[in-house]
Amino acid sequence: MLFRDDLLCGRVALVTGGGSGIGLQLARGIGKVGARVIIAARNEGRLRSAVELLKGEGIDASYELLDIRDDVLVDTVVARIVDKHAGLDILVNNAGGQFPSKAESISPRGWRSVIDVCLNGTFYMCRAVGQHMIDREAGGKILNISASCIERGSPGIAHSGAARAAVSHLTQTLAREWAQFGIQVNALGPQYLSEGAADNLGGAVADFIPSVTPAGRWATDEELQNWGAALVSPLYDYVTGTTLYLDGGNWLGEGIVYRGSSVCPE
């Protein structure tokens, strides 16, 4: 880690979808610098394994079973966490889901499913935790997971691309409304090849994306951990409403990429 190990000492953080992939790396990064981390998801077996892993690294970790699509359950779980830990300082909205498909092949049910978890679930979490932060009058940090492609089209993921773009707009709106309460709301658009993402993309696509990314690679575990910790720390107290693209310049658009003396077309 780039930061001292007490940067978030005394803070309580909730990370949705924290049992694997991006969520686990963000929980790791936040926990490594002193925060007490609660990870939440639907798969209890995966949560148990993740907590065991985090504890083995010296991180104060626990888990809650949670389906973020259930607004009543969201309110219940957030209230339980607040009561148990005497507050909640940080929320990371990572839980989401998608499947690769041409737009014309996405069924209405498939569209609703992705929008429900990626957008509606993110809002339910923001509303529940944001209300607690407002009532407590002690400020807080909310980090939403968006995408690196919201400035342009995203062939193959029309459903999640639309949802993540909406999350970035939600981030901006909440940042404006809640700045008066000392709450900073930002978003992170990571380009990270987790095992699940690799399975969804397939080998050819997983190899192709870095070839048209200026940095020529995917984001690393440590980069995710560092940026996650930074964005929910006092280092970013005066930054709110922004979406940071952790994607090696991919958001600039695919096209001709220079590799030394060679030129690689799209």
Side-chain angles (χ1 to χ4, degrees):
M1 295 295 293
L2 294 175
F3 316 111
R4 66 179 191 268
D5 59 11
D6 63 346
L7 180 65
L8 294 175
C9 185
R11 309 292 175 91
V12 178
L14 171 60
V15 181
T16 66
S20 62
I22 291 172
L24 178 56
Q25 296 306 328
L26 293 172
R28 239 186 191 135
I30 294 168
K32 282 182 178 179
V33 291
R36 181 183 304 165
V37 178
I38 302 106
I39 58 174
R42 292 180 292 166
N43 188 317
E44 187 167 17
R46 187 174 292 169
L47 287 171
R48 284 177 176 168
S49 297
V51 165
E52 183 178 346
L53 177 65
L54 294 172
K55 285 185 173 180
E57 297 175 358
I59 294 170
D60 185 345
S62 59
Y63 74 84
E64 289 278 352
L65 280 173
L66 176 62
D67 184 345
I68 64 170
R69 298 171 298 182
D70 184 336
D71 59 300
V72 175
L73 181 59
V74 165
D75 290 343
T76 299
V77 170
V78 168
R80 183 162 63 238
I81 291 171
V82 168
D83 182 63
K84 180 178 180 180
H85 299 280
L88 183 55
D89 307 288
I90 297 165
L91 168 65
V92 178
N93 278 310
N94 167 75
Q98 67 182 34
F99 53 89
S101 176
K102 296 182 293 184
E104 66 270 24
S105 300
I106 300 174
S107 69
R109 179 180 178 181
W111 175 269
R112 288 192 296 268
S113 177
V114 172
I115 297 299
D116 203 17
V117 66
C118 291
L119 177 57
N120 295 343
T122 295
F123 172 71
Y124 298 152
M125 293 301 305
C126 285
R127 183 187 63 169
V129 175
Q131 186 63 64
H132 159 68
M133 291 176 173
I134 291 169
D135 292 343
R136 189 177 59 164
E137 298 182 344
K141 302 279 187 177
I142 296 175
L143 179 61
N144 296 322
I145 299 304
S146 179
S148 64
C149 56
I150 63 170
E151 304 292 343
R152 53 190 172 82
S154 308
I157 53 168
H159 41 16
S160 61
R164 296 302 189 182
V167 165
S168 284
H169 191 280
L170 175 64
T171 297
Q172 294 169 353
T173 300
L174 296 180
R176 297 191 68 169
E177 291 191 10
W178 293 349
Q180 62 183 309
F181 304 113
I183 301 169
Q184 288 85 50
V185 188
N186 290 296
L188 181 66
Q191 182 169 287
Y192 174 75
L193 190 64
S194 65
E195 184 177 340
D199 290 341
N200 283 335
L201 290 172
V205 177
D207 291 338
F208 170 75
I209 291 176
S211 75
V212 293
T213 296
R217 62 177 178 83
W218 295 92
T220 67
D221 291 352
E222 187 173 24
E223 286 166 337
L224 271 173
Q225 293 168 23
N226 285 334
W227 276 109
L231 287 167
V232 298
S233 78
L235 297 172
Y236 274 74
D237 276 353
Y238 199 56
V239 177
T240 194
T242 188
T243 297
L244 173 75
Y245 301 134
L246 180 63
D247 70 350
N250 184 265
W251 73 276
L252 295 167
E254 298 171 352
I256 294 177
V257 177
Y258 292 86
R259 293 275 181 264
S261 60
S262 62
V263 179
C264 305
E266 179 176 355

